[in-house]
């Protein structure tokens, strides 16, 4: 399905997202069960998480800390008196027959997440409605022959935060940017691993369309089962076009929940909104109200790390980097922190950025490592950058020889390796001139062409001198001596 642009431009697409993030705690939300991911089915359960008679919940403080952390990072108001509620519905993956969640008193209210969508030059603030805590349900597993559905209760009771936006998003690109930023935030805060393919970060999208000059939102549909940020983008694109086509054809939009099929890139109806259960929320009788006072908030605030937007601003304003560099370097928290340490050891910030985005990142990708296992310290990498800046080695020698040796010998610095391997550049006329004379003698025909006006051949001569000197000749001095000799 692909609509003509003139038709698409007649409509405004309105999107709201609900993002569930599993919190990285060792225990579940209301008991001390383990939350280990990837364990054999039903090996991390207990009478409490299964809701056996006589069991009582006890709130996991670490999960509350994490929820407050996320709220502070998103500039939310933190609710002082928090009340938990029971959301009642019958489904096989819900062992108690209800889910403990927050209904009327979410822990975080309001707030915003700043995004910059693809192709946009300005940031946009996406308003949040709320962030609330709740427990996860189990997981339904369908057999290959589709004759049976099995249930794994390992993740039942695992603590979640649900981040609910206002309907502020206007394109699949904005939704993609929002989810990317939320994933960065939870990883920077170290409260969730953000892995959508493992289900620890999940997203539902509410999509509607209306004529560009309309004031009232159209009927919305909810899209579920998208296991990657890219699939969220694909699902919204498909659904927006489907809804516009319905309106163009004069058909009524049914408010419903739809399933996304990643293989076809299409959605299909699961159930209409009229069929949804009345959840009959009521206060959880086994949990007292949770009071989050100012002292608690200040304690959590003191633990907040530098956030990606803050670091990106520092990299552009303080280090003078292009915005592209800043965005790439802040995609990963540990890389951003490594780079920040590196910039305390060198003032050549752009060269440091180039090393991080080029040579270092290529090495990490090739070895499937993260920066925390990178064997070269920021101090030693800064020493290698300084060696190039001082003209003692060429960039090529630094990348292709010294860097490789530094990976092997963690205790050796760049200059020591360069000296021991006889890699320091020659800047003396006495050492470079004989090589120049030899090159010009061997390339007599090219010399004639140079003297007849082909001045661009100077680069060929410099390259040949560098080659014969095994990269040790100072390029700047070589160029200078070549021009003098050719005259």
């Amino acid at each position: 399905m692909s609509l003509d642009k003139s038709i698409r431009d007649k409509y405004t697409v309105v999107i709201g997202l609900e993002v569930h993030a599993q919190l990285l705690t060792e225990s579940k939300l209301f008991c001390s069960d383990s939350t280990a991911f990837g364990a054999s089915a039903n090996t991390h359960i207990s009478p409490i998480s299964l809701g056996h008679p006589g069991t009582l919940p006890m709130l996991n403080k670490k999960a509350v800390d994490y929820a407050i952390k996320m709220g502070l990072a998103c500039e939310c108001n933190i609710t002082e008196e928090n009340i938990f509620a029971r959301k009642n519905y019958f489904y096989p993956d819900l062992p108690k027959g209800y889910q403990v969640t927050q209904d009327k008193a979410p822990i975080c209210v309001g707030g915003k997440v700043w995004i910059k969508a693809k192709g946009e030059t300005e940031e946009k603030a996406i308003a949040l409605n709320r962030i609330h805590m709740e427990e996860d349900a189990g997981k339904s597993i369908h057999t290959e022959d589709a004759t049976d559905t099995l249930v794994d209760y390992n993740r039942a009771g695992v603590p979640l935060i649900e981040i609910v936006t206002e309907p502020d998003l206007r394109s699949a690109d904005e939704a993609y940017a929002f989810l990317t930023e939320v994933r960065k935030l939870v990883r920077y805060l170290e409260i969730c691993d953000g892995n959508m393919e493992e289900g620890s970060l999940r997203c539902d999208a509410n999509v509607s369309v209306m004529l560009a000059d309309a004031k009232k939102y159209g009927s919305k549909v909810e899209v579920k089962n998208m296991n990657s940020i890219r699939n969220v983008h694909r699902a919204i694109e498909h659904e927006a076009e489907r809804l516009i086509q319905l309106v163009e054809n004069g058909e009524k939009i049914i408010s419903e929940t739809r399933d996304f099929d990643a293989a076809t890139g299409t959605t299909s109806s699961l159930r209409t909104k009229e069929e949804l259960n009345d959840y009959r929320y009521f206060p959880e009788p086994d949990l007292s109200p949770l009071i989050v006072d100012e002292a608690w908030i200040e304690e959590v605030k003191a633990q907040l790390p530098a956030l990606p937007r803050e670091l990106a601003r520092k990299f552009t304003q303080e280090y003078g980097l292009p915005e592209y560099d800043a965005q790439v370097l802040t995609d990963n928290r540990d890389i951003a922190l490594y780079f920040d340490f590196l910039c305390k050891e060198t003032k050549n910030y752009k060269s440091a950025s180039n090393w991080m985005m080029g040579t270092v990142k290529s090495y990490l990708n090739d070895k499937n490592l993260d920066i925390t296992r990178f064997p070269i310290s920021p101090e030693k990498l800064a020493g290698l950058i300084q060696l190039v800046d001082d003209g003692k080695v060429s960039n090529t020698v630094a990348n292709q020889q010294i860097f490789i040796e530094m990976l092997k010998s963690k205790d050796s610095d760049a200059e020591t390796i360069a000296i021991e391997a006889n890699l320091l550049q020659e800047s003396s006329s006495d050492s470079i001139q004989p090589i120049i004379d030899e090159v010009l003698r061997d390339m007599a025909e090219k010399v004639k062409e140079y003297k007849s006006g082909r001045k661009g051949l100077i680069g060929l001569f410099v390259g040949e001198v560098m080659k014969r000197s095994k990269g040790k000749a100072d390029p700047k001095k070589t160029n200078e001596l070549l021009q003098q000799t050719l005259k």
Side-chain angles (χ1 to χ4, degrees), residues 118-322:
K118 182 181 178 182
E120 297 295 327
T121 56
E122 297 294 327
E123 284 187 304
K124 177 179 177 179
I126 303 301
L128 302 184
N129 176 280
R130 60 194 281 157
I131 299 174
H132 65 261
M133 294 180 289
E134 64 185 23
E135 60 179 344
D136 208 346
K139 182 179 181 181
S140 296
I141 303 167
H142 306 288
T143 57
E144 288 186 11
D145 57 9
T147 57
D148 293 298
T149 297
L150 309 177
V151 183
D152 177 7
Y153 287 127
N154 276 349
R155 77 178 192 192
V158 168
L160 295 175
I161 52 171
E162 182 174 343
I163 304 150
V164 183
T165 77
E166 297 290 358
D168 276 5
L169 300 144
R170 292 294 177 266
S171 69
D173 284 343
E174 288 190 356
Y176 188 99
F178 178 86
L179 272 176
T180 301
E181 196 60 33
V182 166
R183 184 174 63 183
K184 274 204 286 189
L185 280 173
V186 297
R187 287 175 173 174
Y188 267 70
L189 295 169
E190 297 182 298
I191 64 173
C192 171
D193 62 28
N195 296 332
M196 288 191 74
E197 65 279 4
E198 294 177 358
S200 50
L201 190 71
R202 306 196 290 274
C203 176
D204 300 332
N206 294 293
V207 186
S208 66
V209 298
M210 62 182 184
L211 288 169
D213 58 355
K215 303 296 182 188
K216 185 179 177 182
Y217 294 153
S219 297
K220 69 180 180 182
V221 296
E222 182 181 30
V223 187
K224 289 182 173 288
N225 297 330
M226 300 162 288
N227 65 351
S228 70
I229 297 179
R230 178 174 173 270
N231 280 340
V232 172
H233 186 280
R234 292 172 66 207
I236 291 171
E237 278 286 290
H238 168 80
E239 199 56 29
E241 295 211 346
R242 187 186 73 86
L243 294 176
I244 291 171
Q245 193 65 67
L246 287 174
V247 176
E248 285 289 302
N249 294 341
E251 298 178 48
K252 182 183 177 183
I253 293 175
I254 299 171
S255 185
E256 61 183 343
T257 299
R258 298 180 68 85
D259 177 63
F260 177 69
D261 184 340
T264 62
T266 61
T267 62
S268 58
S269 181
L270 285 172
R271 57 187 178 272
T272 63
K273 290 295 186 183
E274 288 74 17
E275 293 172 355
L276 289 178
N277 295 326
D278 173 9
Y279 292 125
R280 294 178 295 119
Y281 287 101
F282 63 82
E284 166 58 68
D286 293 329
L287 286 166
S288 301
L290 171 69
I291 304 301
V292 179
D293 59 20
E294 200 61 38
W296 192 348
I297 294 170
E298 289 302 316
E299 179 187 334
V300 174
K301 189 180 291 184
Q303 301 167 13
L304 286 179
L307 297 175
R309 186 164 175 257
E310 176 188 339
L311 284 173
R313 189 183 296 117
K314 178 180 183 179
F315 294 172
T316 54
Q317 294 180 4
E318 190 174 322
Y319 298 155
L321 295 182

